[in-house]
């Protein structure tokens, strides 16, 4: 079994998530059960940067082979529309241009927006390290800012520009694919590549106070929260990376996860968290529920149990309410109210 297949098996079948995440069914070349529509990048279920680059290029190779060289140029009909200007979409656009396909690259926000939204100085894991993706768009940087710079420079050098366009739906008609925009505009194409990734939306907690302006879904600069009491909610890579980044910049971080253990983070992120949790200078404890937690009936906050630059990990914990200066947590039926300056739903 090759490394990508092993990683896919672990990611989707080896961790006790309780549910299976629904994803589009795509073949190795990105083709789907909908004729002419391809799915590439993170949406295939493998959140690896190099794999995203590779799938974008492979899909264009398949499109070019299907269309051939003797196709008619019909006014207003594109060979290819690429939806999403992330790494996979831009890699596909570069390959489409190299193969002289008529194409448009569509993006609702900004190119590489998922990476741009990563926390400041976030480490980037470019697995598998020995893999060289197909195509000319390559990555060497291992930190967010240099990675964004090198991707932008390569896209600019290749003459790739994204068209601002918010896609609402696709429709097949007379052997063509109609790309409908949210504003009523539309495009016609022979083939469509969907490269939208999976980071465009977040899971709401559905609790009172979630609409407060101190509730965030992206961390831009952890230095903004030095000395602050911060709650990070989640149990995956994004949650762990956010908690670690905040703690390293001096925040008092509580990391709350609804399950009894952390199973999804990559080994490197788990190791970083463990080092911080077990650093004697951080004065951090990992807590499981007891019946001795302070009740919130009196309105009093639980005493701070850790100092700036540390993480308190709470498992089997749900957020019940986000109040004006605090949050109420429920750990196996035991309520606790803690001071809070910011909440990150990750």
């Amino acid at each position: 079994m090759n490394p990508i297949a092993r990683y896919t098996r672990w990611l989707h079948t080896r961790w006790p998530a309780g549910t299976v995440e629904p994803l589009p069914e795509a073949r190795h070349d990105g083709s789907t059960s909908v004729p002419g529509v391809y799915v590439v990048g993170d949406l295939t279920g493998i959140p690896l940067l190099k794999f995203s680059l590779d799938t974008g290029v492979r899909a264009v190779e398949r499109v070019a082979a299907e269309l051939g060289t003797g196709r008619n140029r019909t006014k207003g009909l594109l060979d290819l529309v690429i939806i999403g200007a992330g790494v996979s979409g831009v890699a596909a656009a570069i390959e489409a241009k190299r193969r002289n396909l008529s194409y448009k690259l569509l993006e609702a926000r900004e190119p590489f927006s998922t990476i741009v939204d990563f926390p400041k100085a976030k480490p980037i894991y470019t697995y598998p390290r020995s893999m060289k993706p197909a195509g000319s768009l390559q990555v060497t940087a291992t930190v967010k800012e240099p990675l964004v710079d090198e991707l932008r420079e390569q896209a600019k050098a290749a003459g790739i520009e994204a068209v601002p366009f918010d896609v609402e739906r696709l429709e097949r008609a007379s052997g063509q694919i109609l790309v409908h925009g949210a504003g009523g505009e539309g495009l016609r194409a022979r083939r469509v590549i969907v490269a939208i990734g999976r980071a465009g939306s977040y899971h709401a907690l559905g609790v009172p106070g979630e609409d407060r302006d101190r509730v965030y879904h992206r961390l831009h600069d952890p230095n903004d929260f030095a000395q602050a009491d911060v709650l990070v909610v989640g149990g995956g890579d994004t949650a762990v990376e956010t908690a670690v980044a905040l703690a390293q910049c001096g925040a008092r971080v509580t990391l709350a996860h609804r399950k009894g253990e952390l199973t999804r983070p990559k080994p490197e992120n788990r190791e970083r968290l463990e080092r911080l949790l077990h650093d004697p200078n951080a004065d951090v404890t990992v807590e499981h529920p007891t019946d001795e937690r302070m009740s919130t009936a009196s309105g009093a906050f639980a005493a701070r149990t850790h100092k700036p630059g540390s993480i308190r990990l709470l498992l089997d914990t749900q957020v019940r309410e986000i109040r004006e200066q605090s949050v109420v947590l429920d750990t196996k039926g035991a309520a606790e109210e803690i001071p809070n300056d910011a909440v990150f739903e990750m």
Side-chain angles (χ1 to χ4, degrees), residues 88-166:
S88 190
V90 173
I94 293 175
E95 185 67 14
K97 185 175 182 179
R98 188 183 76 81
R99 292 176 176 271
N100 199 32
L101 299 177
S102 61
Y103 76 94
K104 282 190 183 295
L105 174 64
L106 310 181
E107 173 57 52
R109 296 178 58 196
E110 66 172 306
F112 310 116
S113 59
T114 296
I115 300 176
V116 170
D117 282 344
F118 282 164
K120 187 176 181 179
K122 168 183 162 59
I124 305 297
Y125 302 112
T126 53
Y127 296 140
R129 299 192 188 281
S130 60
M131 177 185 180
K132 186 178 186 302
S136 59
L137 186 63
Q138 299 293 318
V139 292
T140 60
T142 57
V143 178
K144 170 198 164 178
E145 288 78 9
L147 176 63
V148 171
D149 288 343
E150 74 174 1
L151 288 170
R152 285 173 172 168
E153 289 170 3
Q154 291 179 77
K156 182 179 179 181
I160 302 301
E161 294 184 4
V163 177
F165 196 104
D166 191 359

Side-chain angles (χ1 to χ4, degrees), residues 10-19 257 259 261-264:
W10 172 82
L11 183 66
H12 294 290
T13 65
R14 302 291 291 176
W15 48 268
T19 59
H257 183 40
K259 297 187 178 181
E261 61 178 328
L262 298 174
T263 57
R264 295 198 65 176

Side-chain angles (χ1 to χ4, degrees), residues 217-271:
H217 308 284
R218 295 281 189 273
L219 174 62
H220 294 285
D221 190 347
N223 287 294
D224 293 340
F225 301 91
Q227 303 293 318
D229 291 293
V230 181
L231 171 67
V232 178
V233 185
D237 280 310
T238 304
V240 171
E241 290 169 357
T242 299
V244 170
L246 287 164
Q248 289 177 334
C249 289
R252 284 181 292 269
V253 181
T254 298
L255 174 59
H257 183 40
R258 62 188 175 86
K259 297 187 178 181
E261 61 178 328
L262 298 174
T263 57
R264 295 198 65 176
K266 296 183 181 68
E268 288 85 350
N269 284 331
R270 293 176 63 110
E271 290 170 9

Side-chain angles (χ1 to χ4, degrees), residues 310-328:
S310 65
I311 298 178
R312 178 189 182 202
L313 175 61
L314 293 176
L315 302 172
D316 292 309
T317 298
Q318 301 271 4
V319 180
R320 291 305 180 203
E321 184 179 356
I322 301 171
R323 297 181 175 174
E324 186 173 351
Q325 295 180 321
S326 65
V327 292
V328 179

